Amino acid sequence: MEPPPLEFRLSDKSLLPALIALLLLGSCISLAVGAMTIGWRDVLAGLMQWSWPGILDQDVPEQYALVLGEIRLPRLLLGLIVGGTLSVCGAVMQGMFRNPLAEPGIIGISSGAAVGAGIVLVFGGVLSVWLGAFYEKLQWLLLPAFASTGAIMATWLVYILGDRGRSVVMMLLAGIAISALAGAALGMFAYVATDTALRDMTMWQLGSLSGATWTSVLVTGFIFAISAGLLWARANDLNALLLGESDARHLGVDVIGLKRQIIVLNGIAVGAAVSVSGIIGFVGLVVPHIVRLLRGPDHRYLIPYSALLGGLLLTVADTIARSVFAPAEMPVGIITALLGAPFFLFLLWQQRQQIF
């Protein structure tokens, strides 16, 4: 006889303040820790000096302000955005597929986004010839646009091949096939790529936040805010979908329209995240499960809490990745894989009877 699942529910009065407090603490540690350790007071002073030069009477080393304002702060914000994006998309996909194993990295969606982004990196010269003078103006948009297109196509294939989310085996097999095709495409890109493009692609496949810029923060932040907001607005419909498609229709939910909206929004959000961070797996798998254990499956709380916890998890992982072997940096995707892979195996063990 299988033991009952562990449940430990917290109220909003305790969980939300705890998440916010941990997020602030993790953010402060991320700003202070690295190849150059900066004291707590110097962190605040350096940020103020970078934001408003000359506002402080005390002397703040110029390198502190530069490191904090141009490197660590955008990297921190990008980690919060990417972690929140992957977690929200994972939570919504698990609700749409009604399956706890759905996650952008596992079922090949992140790989599809990486292929789209790889096209821009490797064949950017060809695109510049085709687009002419428009290339310079559209260059900032090409990477997330191509990555989002690849993610949407991968999501659609998994949805169709997985019997519209009803077959776990077909969903996992579709993810394996998409990941294999994406790996072959990325390998072909690497073969014809220049040294610079090859280095960028290698870092992508491992996942990294080292390329964070204020432009990438603004673009991905805007996309995340719009996508997460629209998905949160459909929280009640997602709750109805958990009862089954037939019951959801009886409750007045446009199931087909809901699924199409989820596929498009998830593809755009994941594509934008992958275009700036590479493939970071297991965040969208682990975080929604933790939130469900703490707060339950209600998407009205699952989506925003997953965004907070996902940002916290990726921020902590990135801090570890750039601190363990400082001044060298370990790709953050390795840290999330070390944390998430055992959790995925545990879920497979729990789901073995349903799968087989």
Side-chain angles (χ1 to χ4, degrees), residues 53-96:
I55 192 174
L56 298 177
D57 295 333
Q58 67 185 84
D59 292 331
V60 179
E62 184 178 353
Q63 58 182 350
Y64 283 4
L66 183 63
V67 168
L68 289 169
E70 299 297 332
I71 299 177
R72 291 190 184 176
L73 183 57
R75 183 165 181 161
L76 166 65
L77 294 176
L78 189 64
L80 295 175
I81 293 168
V82 171
T85 297
L86 296 176
S87 300
V88 168
C89 290
V92 173
M93 286 176 59
Q94 289 168 12
M96 184 183 77

Side-chain angles (χ1 to χ4, degrees), residues 122-123 184-195 198 201:
V122 177
F123 302 105
L186 291 172
M188 184 182 67
F189 294 165
Y191 182 75
V192 301
T194 62
D195 292 341
L198 179 60
M201 286 184 59

Side-chain angles (χ1 to χ4, degrees), residues 309-347:
L309 185 57
L312 172 63
L313 176 62
L314 190 55
T315 297
V316 172
D318 182 59
T319 303
I320 295 173
R322 58 187 173 83
S323 302
V324 173
F325 299 107
E329 290 188 10
M330 179 186 294
V332 69
I334 296 178
I335 304 297
T336 58
L338 289 174
L339 295 174
F343 189 81
F344 178 60
L345 293 174
F346 171 73
L347 287 179

